[in-house]
Amino acid sequence: MHATIRGALGVSSALVALAVLSAGCDQGGSSTGSADKPAPGDGTRRTDRPSPHPGLGDILVGDEPVTGSRRTGEDKAPFERTYTDGALYAAVTGFRSTAFGNAGLEFVYGDVLAADASGNASGDVTTTIDPKVQKAAFDALGDRRGAAVALDAETGALLAVVSTPSYDPATFSGHGGTDAKAWKSLNADRRSPLLNRALREVGAPGGTFHVVVAAAALEKGLYASVDERTDSPLAYVLPQSTTRVTGASPGCEDAPIARALSLSCDNVFAKMASELGADELRSVAERFGFDDDALTVPVRVAESAYPGAGLSRPATALTGIGAGDVRATPLAMARVAAAVANGGRLVGPSLVERVTKADGGTVRPKTSGRTGRAVSRGTADALKDALGAAAGEVLSEGGDKAGSGTGAKAAWVTDGRDGTGSAWFIAYTEGAQGHPVAVAVRVEDQPSGADPRKAAEPAVAVGEALLAGLS
């Protein structure tokens, strides 16, 4: 950690780069998919599961059910939910319990998934999740507290939604003593396994928020290009304060936006935020999807926020480094990367591809939340070039070669609540279907005194695995 403000706020970041893997590599499936089954969203026509079928309706991943049901022999609750790879998909499915209610997609589509009066399923819900990508992120996160999201930047399809530590919803789907014991244990667990961290937990995004600040500066015309000198002292003193924000390396002094993104120069972006002002930053952050309390996928998503009116100048400067009262979910930061990768356009995210009714009819759910142009195409392309070039430089230094079009950024930030921090990672790459795909990772509980680059390594490792799963 650097002296000055880093000692107080624990904010730092490190840029990493990941090679783009060939889109033609093996597409081997998991227990819920098949190696020769087309990936979701590739335009190939599929045959829906036969309907109606006995029991509860199912939630499908890769067109294969990851839920099921069994008869209980009871009149009031004739069927009980079962799950395949329950812990892997818990952040996607939620849970359905005869004793403890429903959550997630099981709640949103409770009526569709229920059995009708004849004992047949009312319908099925097919998700957008790619089983290979989901498993790659889940395995990489392991038992850490964290989350990972992969988002098709053009369509808004969520390819992975992972939250760890996870839980198996099958352990409490009934109402017996064993179910009650499992439910009690999960609720007593201090790591909060029932919390969907990908969609429902917010945290300070740290250096990953630099992308939003850079976008605002280019949109405002504060700088003509990402290569223009920023006139930023290495140790920037916050307005009306003696507190300093020090750059991560000597190269951060007067660094242009491109270099500042590469080196994660907090001094540059704190000064930039102060010059832009809170109103301008809030406006751009909102266009990226912040301050939207209506976002559902269709599971409701926690609101990511930029501080409200009346923000002081020093507090405004701190928002430039993703500190202060800036809060974001992993999904929100994936949307930032997605908008940049998608030529500046923000699309609505969705976890559900279609709902198939018992009569065979299908419904494609509408997206919600803010959409439209976040920034101009020129700004988006400039940021893509800057992040891609920075990625290439870092890979070159490591003796590897950069893949074309990959931008990746990792950051480490303490949240100020318990002395521990979170490692963040956002990136974009070309997906197997030719669409840009954005990813975001947050790994909690990183030690506040650790070297910034080492502290970021867990999120970077998960990000690498997630991008590899997209190949």
Side-chain angles (χ1 to χ4, degrees):
M1 299 291 290
H2 295 281
T4 68
I5 195 168
R6 297 187 185 281
L9 295 177
V11 177
S12 183
S13 51
L15 183 77
V16 299
L18 307 174
V20 175
L21 303 180
S22 169
C25 68
D26 179 34
Q27 294 288 322
S30 69
S31 60
T32 60
S34 171
D36 59 0
K37 187 177 291 293
D42 65 356
T44 304
R45 183 177 177 83
R46 297 177 188 76
T47 302
D48 288 322
R49 285 177 4 107
S51 189
H53 54 84
L56 302 173
D58 284 321
I59 298 173
L60 285 71
V61 172
D63 285 331
E64 296 292 336
V66 296
T67 60
S69 59
R70 58 173 169 252
R71 293 188 181 273
T72 64
E74 301 177 6
D75 292 336
K76 288 186 177 180
F79 296 99
E80 183 176 292
R81 175 63 86 199
T82 61
Y83 293 88
T84 301
D85 291 329
L88 173 61
Y89 294 113
V92 176
T93 63
F95 60 79
R96 185 182 188 93
S97 172
T98 55
F100 307 109
N102 305 344
L105 291 181
E106 294 274 29
F107 172 78
V108 174
Y109 292 105
D111 292 342
V112 172
L113 296 169
D116 62 20
S118 301
N120 292 323
S122 298
D124 294 333
V125 176
T126 300
T127 70
T128 58
I129 295 296
D130 182 320
K132 181 181 178 184
V133 182
Q134 180 82 4
K135 191 172 191 309
F138 183 79
D139 289 348
L141 275 166
D143 289 332
R144 301 183 182 98
R145 288 204 306 180
V149 172
L151 176 68
D152 187 311
E154 288 188 12
T155 68
L158 283 160
L159 306 179
V161 176
V162 175
S163 176
T164 57
S166 188
Y167 64 96
D168 185 354
T171 61
F172 58 92
S173 62
H175 56 83
T178 303
D179 300 275
K181 184 177 179 180
W183 176 255
K184 182 178 180 180
S185 176
L186 286 168
N187 280 278
D189 192 330
R190 297 178 122 186
R191 299 187 305 162
S192 303
L194 291 171
L195 172 63
N196 189 328
R197 289 177 161 86
L199 306 179
R200 297 292 304 162
E201 185 175 53
V202 295
T208 57
F209 196 72
H210 291 171
V211 178
V212 177
V213 182
L218 292 171
E219 290 287 281
K220 182 71 173 177
L222 194 61
Y223 298 97
S225 77
V226 294
D227 299 314
E228 182 181 340
R229 180 177 179 272
T230 62
D231 191 22
S232 305
L234 185 59
Y236 170 66
V237 180
L238 298 184
Q240 305 166 355
S241 172
T242 58
T243 306
R244 297 180 301 163
V245 176
T246 303
S249 78
C252 288
E253 185 170 4
D254 300 328
I257 288 174
R259 191 197 309 160
L261 287 171
S262 172
L263 298 176
S264 291
C265 299
D266 283 348
N267 60 314
V268 172
F269 294 105
K271 179 176 181 287
M272 200 175 290
S274 178
E275 292 170 340
L276 286 164
D279 290 344
E280 186 68 27
L281 281 172
R282 187 180 307 107
S283 175
V284 174
E286 287 177 353
R287 297 205 297 271
F288 272 110
F290 281 67
D291 299 324
D292 183 358
D293 62 0
L295 181 63
T296 63
V297 292
V299 177
R300 182 163 291 280
V301 179
E303 182 180 4
S304 298
Y306 185 87
L311 204 62
S312 68
R313 288 192 65 200
T316 298
L318 288 181
T319 67
I321 57 177
D325 291 328
V326 180
R327 291 292 182 267
T329 61
L331 174 59
M333 296 316 299
R335 295 190 80 197
V336 169
V340 170
N342 192 36
R345 293 196 64 84
L346 185 71
V347 299
S350 179
L351 186 55
V352 175
E353 181 178 332
R354 64 184 178 273
V355 177
T356 305
K357 300 296 184 65
D359 61 5
T362 61
V363 177
R364 295 186 182 275
K366 296 180 179 178
T367 59
S368 73
R370 194 173 295 122
T371 60
R373 184 153 294 283
V375 293
S376 68
R377 175 171 286 278
T379 292
D381 289 346
L383 290 173
K384 282 180 67 175
D385 289 345
L387 289 170
E393 290 173 7
V394 174
L395 279 176
S396 178
E397 290 173 3
D400 203 343
K401 294 182 179 179
S404 61
T406 302
K409 188 172 183 64
W412 176 72
V413 55
T414 53
D415 58 21
R417 290 177 297 177
D418 56 8
T420 63
S422 296
W424 284 80
F425 175 92
I426 62 173
Y428 62 84
T429 189
E430 286 297 316
Q433 304 308 313
H435 294 183
V437 175
V439 304
V441 175
R442 184 187 183 204
V443 179
E444 301 175 35
D445 303 325
Q446 300 306 298
S448 59
D451 174 81
R453 289 183 181 273
K454 287 194 174 294
E457 285 177 359
V460 172
V462 176
E464 284 183 315
L466 188 48
L467 292 178
L470 286 161
S471 64

